[in-house]
Amino acid sequence: MGDSDEELLSRVAGGDPAAVRALVARKLPRLLSLAGRMLGDAPEAEDVAQEAFLRVWKQAPKWRPGAARFDTWLHRVALNLCYDRLRRRREVATAEPPERADEGPAPDRGLEASDTGRRVAQALQALPERQREAIVLCHYQELGNIEAAAVMGVSVEALESLLGRGRRALRAALADLKEP
């Protein structure tokens, strides 16, 4: 399996380029997935992942094993960066509405699976932030309820409530996708 996260962090703190590459290779796919699902925008997700890794490099010399799980801390950092971006989106005021591309399926689309994926992504983006966060952590990041609750800073019961409401909202938004 290789080095533990704590061993890699220790080597990163010492300036070991191989440890940096190993940590990025290990954590980048999940960070991109988390940020992509929270923001619905791949370039923004890449920016969030980059900023999260910058914080890892800054924090590595101060990291104390046992104080917190590295994955939990890294998920929290990425989620906070996502929330910062989501807040900025709401604060942007424009004189004119932006031009919008046709949101209907392209004529050559034809693949029902990609249309379904797009619909699921849209429904996920329409959820309240905390419900979306719970769904993303548990279903897309595959965290257990205890770990997801720790990342979110809520009790397991509160997480389960958020999951239940989020699932119901998704079910309602996607009700027409059910097979006949």
Side-chain angles (χ1 to χ4, degrees):
M1 158 100 183
D3 295 330
S4 71
D5 290 343
E6 286 77 19
E7 290 167 349
L8 282 175
L9 279 172
S10 174
R11 290 175 42 210
V12 166
D16 180 351
V20 171
R21 285 190 300 276
L23 191 63
V24 169
R26 185 181 293 177
K27 303 300 179 184
L28 182 61
R30 286 183 66 120
L31 280 184
L32 287 174
S33 175
L34 171 69
R37 293 198 192 298
M38 288 300 295
L39 299 169
D41 183 89
E44 266 196 301
E46 291 171 3
D47 290 346
V48 163
Q50 184 176 18
E51 179 63 27
F53 279 115
L54 286 173
R55 293 186 185 194
V56 168
W57 312 152
K58 290 177 186 174
Q59 181 66 28
K62 302 176 212 161
W63 186 261
R64 297 291 168 252
R69 240 184 107 226
F70 176 70
D71 271 347
T72 303
W73 176 82
L74 186 58
H75 275 91
R76 184 75 258 158
V77 167
L79 285 168
N80 287 344
L81 291 168
C82 288
Y83 283 131
D84 289 346
R85 287 175 179 271
L86 290 168
R87 254 188 307 280
R88 272 186 251 135
R89 283 182 189 172
R90 285 192 301 260
E91 294 169 1
V92 173
T94 58
E96 296 179 29
E99 288 187 34
R100 296 184 62 154
D102 181 6
E103 293 181 21
D108 62 343
R109 191 102 187 242
L111 297 174
E112 194 171 304
S114 63
D115 188 47
T116 300
R118 180 186 54 79
R119 290 272 316 278
V120 170
Q122 287 174 339
L124 188 62
Q125 288 301 306
L127 289 177
E129 290 175 358
R130 297 293 280 178
Q131 290 176 23
R132 181 172 60 233
E133 183 179 347
I135 296 282
V136 167
L137 289 173
C138 291
H139 293 283
Y140 292 99
Q141 295 293 304
E142 300 176 353
L143 298 183
N145 286 4
I146 293 171
E147 189 175 5
V151 168
M152 292 181 69
V154 298
S155 68
V156 173
E157 292 79 14
L159 172 80
E160 290 170 351
S161 175
L162 288 166
L163 284 170
R165 287 182 300 195
R167 289 175 183 142
R168 282 190 298 277
L170 287 174
R171 222 176 281 121
L174 302 169
D176 62 318
L177 292 180
K178 294 208 180 213
E179 303 245 350

